[in-house]
Structure formats: C-alpha cells, structure tokens
Amino acid sequence: MKFLFVIDLLKNINPLKDSSVALMQATSRKFIEVWICTPQDLEARGDEVWASSIKINPNPWLSKIETECIPLAEFSCIWMRKDPPVNEGYLYATHLLEVAERKGVKVINKPASLRAWNEKLGALRYSNLMAPTLVASKIDDLMNFAQAHEDVVIKPLGGKGGQGVIRITQNSPCIKAMIELITCQEELPVMMQKFIPEVAQGDKRIIIVDGEPFGAINRIPKKGDFRSNLALGGKPEKSNLSDQEKMICSELSMQLKEEGLFFVGIDVINGMLSEINVTSPTGLREIEKFSNKSIADEIIENLISII
C-alpha cells in the first residue's frame, strides 16, 4: 500500500509542529509506503496523471529513499495538504487529483469539495451557529454593519493563519480608508463579523475526522493581539469539548462526510462557529502533546478501515 502526500516545499516544513508530518509518520508506522510531491510535480499524460514523487522514511524526519515518476492510480490514498492560498495553481492541482479519484483513488480531502468550501465562506452553511456576519465588497454596506455592531473584525476570504485579519470599532480612525484598502476599492468581498471579546479566553481548534471530533486545543492570543492563531504566536492549552461544541460537531458531521471532507479543523469562539478549515488543518501535534495520545495513528487506522 502506498500513500502520497501533496505538500509544500520540504524546506518550509517544521516537523516538530507540522500535522502533515505527524500523519506521514503514523502512516509509516502502519508499514505503508510514504511518498511526497508538490502540486507542481503533477502532470497529465492523456487520461493518466503522474507525479514526480519522492519515497521517504519519515521516522525519524527525514530520509529520502528514491525518486520516481508514478501514476497516481498506483496510490491507495492521496492527501492534498498544500497550504493556502487557494490560487490558480492550487485549483488546477485539484482538477488533476480528480482524475485519480475517478480511477478509484481515495483523495483527502475530496478535490471538488476543496474548491467548493472556502474556509471562510464554507461556514456560512451554518450561519445560525455563527456570530453576526456580513460578506460584502460595498463600502457603505460594510460601514453600516460596523456601525451597527460597534466592534468588528474583517477577514480576507483567501487568508490563512490569521494573516490580514483586523479589528475596528465605530470610533476607529480612517475606517472607510481601511475598508477601501482591504476590498481593493470594492473589487473584492471580505467577511466582517461582530467581535467576540471572549476570544481573550481562547479560540478552540477542533479536529473532525470522518465526521467525528478526534480532539481539540484552545489557543490563547499573545499579549497585545486578539488573533489566537498558533502561527502568530497564540499559546496552545489543553481543552475538552463543551456540550455546545459537541452539538456544533454533530450538526456538521453528516454534510462533511457526504462531501468527502474526511479531515477538517473547525474554529469555535465562545460556543460560536468561526471557520471550517479543509485545506491543511493544523493542531495535531499540540493535541497529541496535551492528550498524551497519538491522534495521528488513530486517524490513519480510521482511514485504512474505509479505503
């Protein structure tokens, strides 16, 4: 059995924190071959897609065994774990992976769903679970929303890891200029949400696997910032799921499974859904550290049972 992981360049990966590496290592412990490539290594030859892949031994990280161009149909499973942005190159890669999917290869997450579920907009399917939210590009509409809710955050729809997220209040100077800038003069829509002050007590990342919650961590913003993303200095801490958070997971479960979203990370603040991350959710290393369990091994065991 062979698994392929489509990832970023190796030089950009920190194996001590990277969830993809945790999954690769768990895969190897099941005596499954681990191969890696980048989206740029995919190529179509007629109706067959190939990948210039590197076979690796991820335990310990990292030893390369061999390099070979392999048809994707030879893999039992392909993990699409390239980080955002979801740009043209990313989208074309999902189309190429879809060719392998049509030949019976399990692709995680499902390529069509990676395209359909923007990590900000996907949550709008469950707007009843969210803080008051507006997605718009018109400056007047965004200004009115900000005035009505007094304290808001603005999120670029293509951002990741908290990058570009800003907070404004009705008394902030130059509100209109900031909105002009972030919407590129009304060319791009953005997400504006009522600010949740309880984010100071944490923003919870919950890992959902095949529709079931597998673990969670709370992320505390660093001093002087409201953003809790680990990539921006947020501090992880041990956490369990509240009844409200279990309800949110339950409400999402069926649709995530139906749409082939096997590995998902949702963000919840004060019992309200914030984002549904489907491209390359993180947090496995931190969850394993606090739970003293190999969550990655449990995920791979679950995957093997359904391939």
Side-chain angles (χ1 to χ4, degrees):
M1 191 178 285
K2 300 176 183 177
F3 282 12
L4 175 67
F5 290 79
V6 184
I7 58 173
D8 291 284
L9 295 172
L10 287 174
K11 66 180 182 179
N12 297 332
I13 291 176
N14 180 348
L16 298 179
K17 294 185 176 182
D18 195 272
S19 295
S20 296
V21 174
L23 292 165
M24 291 181 209
Q25 292 173 335
T27 299
S28 179
R29 286 192 288 270
K30 295 297 181 184
F31 305 102
I32 299 170
E33 290 183 14
V34 176
W35 294 73
I36 61 173
C37 74
T38 68
Q40 292 73 32
D41 293 319
L42 301 173
E43 59 183 60
R45 304 175 186 176
D47 68 345
E48 190 85 70
V49 176
W50 297 62
S52 297
S53 312
I54 304 171
K55 184 180 180 182
I56 65 169
N57 180 359
N59 290 308
W61 188 261
L62 167 78
S63 59
K64 301 178 183 179
I65 299 174
E66 61 180 284
T67 301
E68 187 177 346
C69 197
I70 301 178
L72 296 190
E74 290 190 10
F75 293 100
S76 302
C77 179
I78 300 172
W79 286 84
M80 178 50 159
R81 292 283 302 172
K82 170 72 174 69
D83 284 342
V86 178
N87 53 19
E88 282 187 278
Y90 186 102
L91 293 174
Y92 295 149
T94 66
H95 286 289
L96 292 173
L97 292 175
E98 217 161 26
V99 177
E101 185 180 50
R102 289 196 292 269
K103 292 180 178 291
V105 179
K106 181 77 171 178
V107 181
I108 299 171
N109 286 313
K110 186 176 179 66
S113 294
L114 287 175
R115 295 192 296 270
W117 286 66
N118 174 277
E119 299 191 328
K120 306 295 189 297
L121 297 177
L124 294 177
R125 291 167 166 84
Y126 307 96
S127 60
N128 60 304
L129 304 176
M130 301 171 68
T133 300
L134 172 70
V135 177
S137 54
K138 297 295 185 183
I139 293 171
D140 286 346
D141 293 339
L142 292 163
M143 289 277 292
N144 290 337
F145 185 92
Q147 291 293 329
H149 293 284
E150 300 181 354
D151 194 349
V152 298
V153 294
I154 307 177
K155 302 178 180 181
L157 297 181
K160 66 168 185 173
Q163 295 174 358
V165 177
I166 62 173
R167 176 186 175 188
I168 61 175
T169 70
Q170 60 180 350
N171 297 319
S172 296
C174 304
I175 294 178
K176 185 176 181 181
M178 285 191 285
I179 294 175
E180 289 171 348
L181 182 63
I182 201 168
T183 62
C184 297
Q185 298 292 339
E186 299 189 333
E187 288 292 321
L188 291 176
V190 295
M191 176 175 280
M192 183 178 281
Q193 291 181 308
K194 180 177 173 60
F195 177 69
I196 306 171
E198 289 83 1
V199 72
Q201 283 77 57
D203 175 351
K204 192 168 292 188
R205 164 58 56 88
I206 304 170
I207 296 295
I208 299 178
V209 177
D210 200 23
E212 299 296 328
F214 262 54
I217 51 167
N218 198 32
R219 302 169 297 178
I220 306 296
K222 70 177 183 180
K223 187 175 181 180
D225 202 342
F226 68 93
R227 298 170 298 175
S228 57
N229 307 77
L230 299 180
L232 296 176
K235 179 183 177 182
E237 65 177 21
K238 185 176 181 178
S239 182
N240 296 311
L241 297 185
S242 68
D243 290 342
Q244 172 68 8
E245 289 157 352
K246 291 176 182 177
M247 182 277 292
I248 291 174
C249 293
S250 178
E251 186 155 344
L252 272 58
S253 176
M254 183 175 294
Q255 190 169 16
L256 295 180
K257 292 183 69 171
E258 287 176 349
E259 300 208 19
L261 294 169
F262 175 84
F263 187 77
V264 172
I266 68 170
D267 297 336
V268 178
I269 304 172
N270 194 38
M272 286 179 280
L273 180 66
S274 175
E275 294 183 12
I276 302 175
N277 299 275
V278 302
T279 53
S280 55
T282 61
L284 275 186
R285 291 295 199 196
E286 292 78 13
I287 292 172
E288 290 184 334
K289 174 184 175 182
F290 291 117
S291 67
N292 201 28
K293 294 193 301 183
S294 181
I295 304 298
D297 283 278
E298 294 179 11
I299 292 169
I300 297 301
E301 287 173 7
N302 183 291
L303 175 58
I304 291 171
S305 72
I306 64 174
I307 291 179

mmCIF file with all atom_site columns, all heavy atoms in Angstrom, residues 160-171:
data_model
loop_
_atom_site.group_PDB
_atom_site.id
_atom_site.type_symbol
_atom_site.label_atom_id
_atom_site.label_alt_id
_atom_site.label_comp_id
_atom_site.label_asym_id
_atom_site.label_entity_id
_atom_site.label_seq_id
_atom_site.pdbx_PDB_ins_code
_atom_site.Cartn_x
_atom_site.Cartn_y
_atom_site.Cartn_z
_atom_site.occupancy
_atom_site.B_iso_or_equiv
_atom_site.pdbx_formal_charge
_atom_site.auth_seq_id
_atom_site.auth_comp_id
_atom_site.auth_asym_id
_atom_site.auth_atom_id
_atom_site.pdbx_PDB_model_num
ATOM 1  N N   . LYS A 1 160 ? -4.979  33.002 5.506  1.00 0.00 ? 160 LYS A N   1
ATOM 2  C CA  . LYS A 1 160 ? -4.714  31.812 6.308  1.00 0.00 ? 160 LYS A CA  1
ATOM 3  C C   . LYS A 1 160 ? -3.987  32.232 7.572  1.00 0.00 ? 160 LYS A C   1
ATOM 4  O O   . LYS A 1 160 ? -3.328  33.276 7.630  1.00 0.00 ? 160 LYS A O   1
ATOM 5  C CB  . LYS A 1 160 ? -3.849  30.808 5.541  1.00 0.00 ? 160 LYS A CB  1
ATOM 6  C CG  . LYS A 1 160 ? -2.434  31.313 5.255  1.00 0.00 ? 160 LYS A CG  1
ATOM 7  C CD  . LYS A 1 160 ? -1.529  30.200 4.766  1.00 0.00 ? 160 LYS A CD  1
ATOM 8  C CE  . LYS A 1 160 ? -0.090  30.711 4.620  1.00 0.00 ? 160 LYS A CE  1
ATOM 9  N NZ  . LYS A 1 160 ? 0.859   29.638 4.313  1.00 0.00 ? 160 LYS A NZ  1
ATOM 10 N N   . GLY A 1 161 ? -4.136  31.422 8.613  1.00 0.00 ? 161 GLY A N   1
ATOM 11 C CA  . GLY A 1 161 ? -3.371  31.628 9.833  1.00 0.00 ? 161 GLY A CA  1
ATOM 12 C C   . GLY A 1 161 ? -3.561  32.981 10.484 1.00 0.00 ? 161 GLY A C   1
ATOM 13 O O   . GLY A 1 161 ? -2.670  33.461 11.185 1.00 0.00 ? 161 GLY A O   1
ATOM 14 N N   . GLY A 1 162 ? -4.707  33.620 10.253 1.00 0.00 ? 162 GLY A N   1
ATOM 15 C CA  . GLY A 1 162 ? -4.955  34.917 10.865 1.00 0.00 ? 162 GLY A CA  1
ATOM 16 C C   . GLY A 1 162 ? -4.340  36.092 10.136 1.00 0.00 ? 162 GLY A C   1
ATOM 17 O O   . GLY A 1 162 ? -4.510  37.251 10.551 1.00 0.00 ? 162 GLY A O   1
ATOM 18 N N   . GLN A 1 163 ? -3.646  35.828 9.022  1.00 0.00 ? 163 GLN A N   1
ATOM 19 C CA  . GLN A 1 163 ? -2.979  36.901 8.296  1.00 0.00 ? 163 GLN A CA  1
ATOM 20 C C   . GLN A 1 163 ? -4.003  37.869 7.706  1.00 0.00 ? 163 GLN A C   1
ATOM 21 O O   . GLN A 1 163 ? -4.973  37.472 7.082  1.00 0.00 ? 163 GLN A O   1
ATOM 22 C CB  . GLN A 1 163 ? -2.111  36.318 7.177  1.00 0.00 ? 163 GLN A CB  1
ATOM 23 C CG  . GLN A 1 163 ? -0.959  35.475 7.680  1.00 0.00 ? 163 GLN A CG  1
ATOM 24 C CD  . GLN A 1 163 ? -0.206  34.784 6.551  1.00 0.00 ? 163 GLN A CD  1
ATOM 25 O OE1 . GLN A 1 163 ? -0.568  34.895 5.391  1.00 0.00 ? 163 GLN A OE1 1
ATOM 26 N NE2 . GLN A 1 163 ? 0.841   34.065 6.901  1.00 0.00 ? 163 GLN A NE2 1
ATOM 27 N N   . GLY A 1 164 ? -3.776  39.139 7.919  1.00 0.00 ? 164 GLY A N   1
ATOM 28 C CA  . GLY A 1 164 ? -4.616  40.167 7.335  1.00 0.00 ? 164 GLY A CA  1
ATOM 29 C C   . GLY A 1 164 ? -5.924  40.428 8.055  1.00 0.00 ? 164 GLY A C   1
ATOM 30 O O   . GLY A 1 164 ? -6.716  41.258 7.612  1.00 0.00 ? 164 GLY A O   1
ATOM 31 N N   . VAL A 1 165 ? -6.163  39.730 9.169  1.00 0.00 ? 165 VAL A N   1
ATOM 32 C CA  . VAL A 1 165 ? -7.393  39.946 9.934  1.00 0.00 ? 165 VAL A CA  1
ATOM 33 C C   . VAL A 1 165 ? -7.212  41.186 10.804 1.00 0.00 ? 165 VAL A C   1
ATOM 34 O O   . VAL A 1 165 ? -6.227  41.303 11.543 1.00 0.00 ? 165 VAL A O   1
ATOM 35 C CB  . VAL A 1 165 ? -7.732  38.721 10.803 1.00 0.00 ? 165 VAL A CB  1
ATOM 36 C CG1 . VAL A 1 165 ? -8.984  38.985 11.644 1.00 0.00 ? 165 VAL A CG1 1
ATOM 37 C CG2 . VAL A 1 165 ? -7.927  37.488 9.935  1.00 0.00 ? 165 VAL A CG2 1
ATOM 38 N N   . ILE A 1 166 ? -8.153  42.123 10.716 1.00 0.00 ? 166 ILE A N   1
ATOM 39 C CA  . ILE A 1 166 ? -8.041  43.357 11.501 1.00 0.00 ? 166 ILE A CA  1
ATOM 40 C C   . ILE A 1 166 ? -9.309  43.565 12.313 1.00 0.00 ? 166 ILE A C   1
ATOM 41 O O   . ILE A 1 166 ? -10.373 43.040 11.984 1.00 0.00 ? 166 ILE A O   1
ATOM 42 C CB  . ILE A 1 166 ? -7.775  44.584 10.602 1.00 0.00 ? 166 ILE A CB  1
ATOM 43 C CG1 . ILE A 1 166 ? -8.940  44.806 9.623  1.00 0.00 ? 166 ILE A CG1 1
ATOM 44 C CG2 . ILE A 1 166 ? -6.458  44.443 9.856  1.00 0.00 ? 166 ILE A CG2 1
ATOM 45 C CD1 . ILE A 1 166 ? -8.818  46.090 8.821  1.00 0.00 ? 166 ILE A CD1 1
ATOM 46 N N   . ARG A 1 167 ? -9.171  44.336 13.366 1.00 0.00 ? 167 ARG A N   1
ATOM 47 C CA  . ARG A 1 167 ? -10.299 44.676 14.246 1.00 0.00 ? 167 ARG A CA  1
ATOM 48 C C   . ARG A 1 167 ? -10.510 46.175 14.211 1.00 0.00 ? 167 ARG A C   1
ATOM 49 O O   . ARG A 1 167 ? -9.542  46.946 14.310 1.00 0.00 ? 167 ARG A O   1
ATOM 50 C CB  . ARG A 1 167 ? -10.001 44.206 15.672 1.00 0.00 ? 167 ARG A CB  1
ATOM 51 C CG  . ARG A 1 167 ? -11.059 44.594 16.708 1.00 0.00 ? 167 ARG A CG  1
ATOM 52 C CD  . ARG A 1 167 ? -10.597 44.204 18.105 1.00 0.00 ? 167 ARG A CD  1
ATOM 53 N NE  . ARG A 1 167 ? -11.543 44.676 19.118 1.00 0.00 ? 167 ARG A NE  1
ATOM 54 C CZ  . ARG A 1 167 ? -11.305 44.615 20.442 1.00 0.00 ? 167 ARG A CZ  1
ATOM 55 N NH1 . ARG A 1 167 ? -10.173 44.082 20.881 1.00 0.00 ? 167 ARG A NH1 1
ATOM 56 N NH2 . ARG A 1 167 ? -12.208 45.082 21.293 1.00 0.00 ? 167 ARG A NH2 1
ATOM 57 N N   . ILE A 1 168 ? -11.766 46.587 14.056 1.00 0.00 ? 168 ILE A N   1
ATOM 58 C CA  . ILE A 1 168 ? -12.072 48.008 14.093 1.00 0.00 ? 168 ILE A CA  1
ATOM 59 C C   . ILE A 1 168 ? -13.307 48.233 14.962 1.00 0.00 ? 168 ILE A C   1
ATOM 60 O O   . ILE A 1 168 ? -14.158 47.356 15.094 1.00 0.00 ? 168 ILE A O   1
ATOM 61 C CB  . ILE A 1 168 ? -12.310 48.599 12.686 1.00 0.00 ? 168 ILE A CB  1
ATOM 62 C CG1 . ILE A 1 168 ? -13.494 47.917 11.992 1.00 0.00 ? 168 ILE A CG1 1
ATOM 63 C CG2 . ILE A 1 168 ? -11.060 48.504 11.832 1.00 0.00 ? 168 ILE A CG2 1
ATOM 64 C CD1 . ILE A 1 168 ? -13.849 48.546 10.661 1.00 0.00 ? 168 ILE A CD1 1
ATOM 65 N N   . THR A 1 169 ? -13.376 49.408 15.555 1.00 0.00 ? 169 THR A N   1
ATOM 66 C CA  . THR A 1 169 ? -14.564 49.811 16.305 1.00 0.00 ? 169 THR A CA  1
ATOM 67 C C   . THR A 1 169 ? -15.182 51.018 15.617 1.00 0.00 ? 169 THR A C   1
ATOM 68 O O   . THR A 1 169 ? -14.581 51.617 14.704 1.00 0.00 ? 169 THR A O   1
ATOM 69 C CB  . THR A 1 169 ? -14.221 50.183 17.758 1.00 0.00 ? 169 THR A CB  1
ATOM 70 O OG1 . THR A 1 169 ? -13.486 51.416 17.760 1.00 0.00 ? 169 THR A OG1 1
ATOM 71 C CG2 . THR A 1 169 ? -13.389 49.082 18.421 1.00 0.00 ? 169 THR A CG2 1
ATOM 72 N N   . GLN A 1 170 ? -16.367 51.386 16.067 1.00 0.00 ? 170 GLN A N   1
ATOM 73 C CA  . GLN A 1 170 ? -17.040 52.527 15.443 1.00 0.00 ? 170 GLN A CA  1
ATOM 74 C C   . GLN A 1 170 ? -16.264 53.825 15.655 1.00 0.00 ? 170 GLN A C   1
ATOM 75 O O   . GLN A 1 170 ? -16.490 54.821 14.942 1.00 0.00 ? 170 GLN A O   1
ATOM 76 C CB  . GLN A 1 170 ? -18.451 52.668 15.998 1.00 0.00 ? 170 GLN A CB  1
ATOM 77 C CG  . GLN A 1 170 ? -18.529 52.891 17.499 1.00 0.00 ? 170 GLN A CG  1
ATOM 78 C CD  . GLN A 1 170 ? -19.957 53.014 17.992 1.00 0.00 ? 170 GLN A CD  1
ATOM 79 O OE1 . GLN A 1 170 ? -20.876 53.121 17.200 1.00 0.00 ? 170 GLN A OE1 1
ATOM 80 N NE2 . GLN A 1 170 ? -20.147 52.999 19.299 1.00 0.00 ? 170 GLN A NE2 1
ATOM 81 N N   . ASN A 1 171 ? -15.331 53.803 16.605 1.00 0.00 ? 171 ASN A N   1
ATOM 82 C CA  . ASN A 1 171 ? -14.526 55.001 16.874 1.00 0.00 ? 171 ASN A CA  1
ATOM 83 C C   . ASN A 1 171 ? -13.131 54.931 16.257 1.00 0.00 ? 171 ASN A C   1
ATOM 84 O O   . ASN A 1 171 ? -12.322 55.852 16.447 1.00 0.00 ? 171 ASN A O   1
ATOM 85 C CB  . ASN A 1 171 ? -14.396 55.209 18.383 1.00 0.00 ? 171 ASN A CB  1
ATOM 86 C CG  . ASN A 1 171 ? -15.747 55.459 19.047 1.00 0.00 ? 171 ASN A CG  1
ATOM 87 O OD1 . ASN A 1 171 ? -16.589 56.180 18.509 1.00 0.00 ? 171 ASN A OD1 1
ATOM 88 N ND2 . ASN A 1 171 ? -15.968 54.855 20.204 1.00 0.00 ? 171 ASN A ND2 1
#
